[in-house]
Amino acid sequence: MSAWYVRKEGSPEVLALPTAVEVLTGLRDGNFLPTDEVKGPTDATWRAIEVHPTFAEAAEYIDPPPPEVADDTHLDMNPLIDVCLVLLIFFILTITYASIERALDVPPDTADEKGAPQKIDFKDIKDRIFKVVVKMDGERPVIKIEGKEVTQDQVFTEMQNIINTTTRKEMLLDIDKDVPWGVETAILDAAKGNKVHNIINNQRK
């Protein structure tokens, strides 16, 4: 029995139809495109439906398929994700820098001459500063505020009492080189918490 064969252009998959009427019906219904290939019972080669003598006239009246319409509801999230990652990195770096700045309160260089540190006469500033001395007694750091020994937990309260009852709003910190950094950081935090106007930090000896 003779048959008509239809396939997509260059496709190995072939659809067999019993008559040319079936091919024409599929073309009109949109099941086939004019560019699809057809091969009849007497055809030696494949030809596009639109150029086949049997269907060429009918193919002229077939409207081309409508173009694909872009989906306006689609939201590309990639730019938003990129912005969020940049903000995340920025916040991480900002928090890290703030933590380092809080832990290491390095006084500015106020040298009168290059290479020569400024000399401070304690008599000239004793009316406006209170002195904090931190030394090591074996393995234990000893903290003295104006000669009074206090524990690390009492530093904030003792500073607060001095600031509230005297005119001393600045601090001179004399700290030994062997004192742990955590102790120095706690003292500096207490000074900042009491809004000490200025902190004079002697070099670790």
Side-chain angles (χ1 to χ4, degrees):
M1 182 176 65
S2 62
W4 289 82
Y5 300 97
V6 182
R7 69 179 185 181
K8 298 293 183 182
E9 185 178 4
S11 174
E13 297 181 1
V14 177
L15 177 64
L17 297 174
T19 64
V21 175
E22 297 290 336
V23 177
L24 185 60
T25 301
L27 180 64
R28 290 174 176 174
D29 292 343
N31 296 327
F32 307 133
L33 298 177
T35 55
D36 290 346
E37 295 178 331
V38 65
K39 184 178 180 182
T42 60
D43 295 331
T45 60
W46 291 91
R47 283 185 286 181
I49 296 177
E50 60 187 357
V51 299
H52 196 285
T54 306
F55 311 107
E57 184 178 354
E60 292 180 359
Y61 298 98
I62 302 298
D63 294 331
E68 294 184 3
V69 180
D71 186 3
D72 295 334
T73 62
H74 174 69
L75 179 62
D76 187 3
M77 297 295 291
N78 290 331
L80 179 61
I81 294 174
D82 292 340
V83 172
C84 291
L85 289 176
V86 171
L87 290 176
L88 178 62
I89 294 172
F90 173 77
F91 290 141
I92 291 175
L93 293 178
T94 302
I95 294 173
T96 303
Y97 176 78
S99 301
I100 295 175
E101 186 180 34
R102 175 174 173 269
L104 301 177
D105 188 6
V106 181
D109 186 8
T110 56
D112 292 335
E113 298 178 1
K114 186 177 180 180
Q118 182 183 11
K119 294 182 180 180
I120 301 174
D121 191 344
F122 183 74
K123 294 180 180 179
D124 297 335
I125 59 175
K126 66 178 182 178
D127 293 335
R128 56 187 176 89
I129 71 167
F130 60 91
K131 189 174 183 181
V132 179
V133 180
V134 187
K135 304 293 181 182
M136 291 299 295
D137 182 10
E139 298 295 329
R140 183 177 69 91
V142 178
I143 306 173
K144 292 185 179 181
I145 302 179
E146 286 297 292
K148 179 181 178 181
E149 183 174 342
V150 297
T151 64
Q152 185 171 321
D153 296 334
Q154 297 172 331
V155 170
F156 181 89
T157 303
E158 188 64 25
M159 287 185 186
Q160 188 178 53
N161 293 335
I162 293 175
I163 292 172
N164 292 338
T165 57
T166 66
T167 60
R168 301 174 181 180
K169 308 298 182 184
E170 302 178 25
M171 181 180 76
L172 174 62
L173 178 59
D174 183 5
I175 188 167
D176 190 79
K177 67 176 182 178
D178 296 327
V179 174
W181 284 106
V183 177
E184 181 176 359
T185 301
I187 295 173
L188 294 175
D189 285 345
K192 289 182 179 180
N194 281 296
K195 298 181 180 179
V196 175
H197 294 170
N198 187 29
I199 300 174
I200 304 172
N201 193 347
N202 280 1
Q203 294 181 350
R204 287 172 168 249
K205 302 176 181 179

